Amino acid sequence: EFPTIEIRPPSSWEPLDNAIRKLEEFQYLLVTSVNGVRSFLARLDASGRDLRDLKGLTIGAIGPATAAELARTGVKVDFMPREYRAEGLIEALGSHDLAGKKFLIPRAKVARDLVPKALEKRGAQAEVVEAYETVTPQFSQGEIESLLTPAPDAITFTSSSTASNFARIVGEADVGKILSGVVVASIGPVTSDTIRKLGLTVAVEAQESTIPGLVRAIEEHFKSSGGQNT
């Protein structure tokens, strides 16, 4: 494992706590990651509220892992997209009349604005609150070289941030050389776009943007290539 993301609490909990205090004003709750679920539910408890206060909210999750994290605490998801990415969430809301509806979206500090912008175009209000932030972790001297020696047969990127941060850690000017001959595997099209912008070639892309989907795609790649990293 080569961790390229470190999850940290936001600089202030106040925006999220304030949104939780006025939950009754929202009609929808959208969660786009497992970390978003954990932070939101932790602050729900810290604010003196509980799961009963989510009654009446239509809850959407970006994919099965996020939905499972909610289900683990007894929260039922009302809708989930076919494609497990932001564009899929918007598609899943296709038949909903969103005019005048208010959405609460707890998420990472840095994330794509596609969902809130698309909701606002349809007449909804989107309140985006920071639930956590992702930063590039620090490595000790020699640790990076040790992780990359011997050179891996494949490298997996499970989000745009993992790819961007990896390039930042090893040096964007050197990333192509470091991964020369290494199979680059991506969890989905958004991550693949980021990988290509870094000057890398995507050899494997999961059809289903989940970890099991990525594993299946890697298995198929090495089966079809006879085990060679081509």
Side-chain angles (χ1 to χ4, degrees):
E1 290 188 4
F2 189 139
T4 63
I5 290 177
E6 183 180 325
I7 306 296
R8 288 185 183 172
S11 55
S12 170
W13 287 114
E14 185 54 32
L16 180 55
D17 290 349
N18 184 54
I20 288 171
R21 281 193 288 269
K22 58 178 185 178
L23 267 180
E24 289 75 17
E25 294 182 16
F26 298 96
Q27 287 79 49
Y28 286 83
L29 171 67
L30 294 186
V31 280
T32 57
S33 71
V34 169
N35 288 309
V37 172
R38 289 173 181 164
S39 291
F40 175 78
L41 293 180
R43 295 315 296 177
L44 187 73
D45 183 62
S47 299
R49 310 199 73 166
D50 58 38
L51 299 178
R52 290 171 295 182
D53 293 301
L54 301 182
K55 188 177 179 181
L57 281 170
T58 300
I59 300 174
I62 200 165
T66 305
E69 186 66 21
L70 285 165
R72 194 176 62 81
T73 60
V75 178
K76 182 183 175 185
V77 168
D78 296 295
F79 67 95
M80 188 173 70
R82 292 181 197 169
E83 290 186 60
Y84 307 140
R85 52 186 180 132
E87 290 85 346
L89 268 179
I90 298 302
E91 185 182 328
L93 287 164
S95 61
H96 294 231
D97 179 11
L98 303 183
K101 299 296 192 294
K102 196 167 181 182
F103 285 72
L104 175 59
I105 309 175
R107 65 178 196 181
K109 181 178 181 179
V110 178
R112 293 196 303 157
D113 288 329
L114 187 148
V115 170
K117 285 182 177 177
L119 291 173
E120 286 162 7
K121 279 184 183 177
R122 292 178 57 180
Q125 298 177 58
E127 185 162 331
V128 178
V129 291
E130 185 182 336
Y132 63 97
E133 67 173 314
T134 61
V135 298
T136 306
Q138 299 297 310
F139 290 86
S140 58
Q141 188 173 1
E143 189 177 359
I144 295 170
E145 290 78 4
S146 176
L147 285 166
L148 294 170
T149 305
D153 294 302
I155 185 166
T156 62
F157 292 117
T158 54
S159 69
S160 288
S161 294
T162 60
S164 299
N165 287 5
F166 177 84
R168 194 173 295 119
I169 290 164
V170 302
E172 290 192 23
D174 298 323
V175 68
K177 184 168 121 182
I178 289 170
L179 295 184
S180 176
V182 177
V183 170
V184 176
S186 164
I187 201 165
V190 175
T191 301
S192 295
D193 286 345
T194 301
I195 293 168
R196 293 187 186 101
K197 285 174 184 173
L198 294 168
L200 302 172
T201 300
V202 177
V204 178
E205 183 180 283
Q207 291 188 339
E208 179 187 90
S209 296
T210 62
I211 297 299
L214 180 57
V215 171
R216 284 194 296 271
I218 292 169
E219 286 177 333
E220 288 304 314
H221 172 84
F222 282 105
K223 279 180 187 175
S224 63
S225 62
Q228 300 300 309
N229 56 334
T230 54

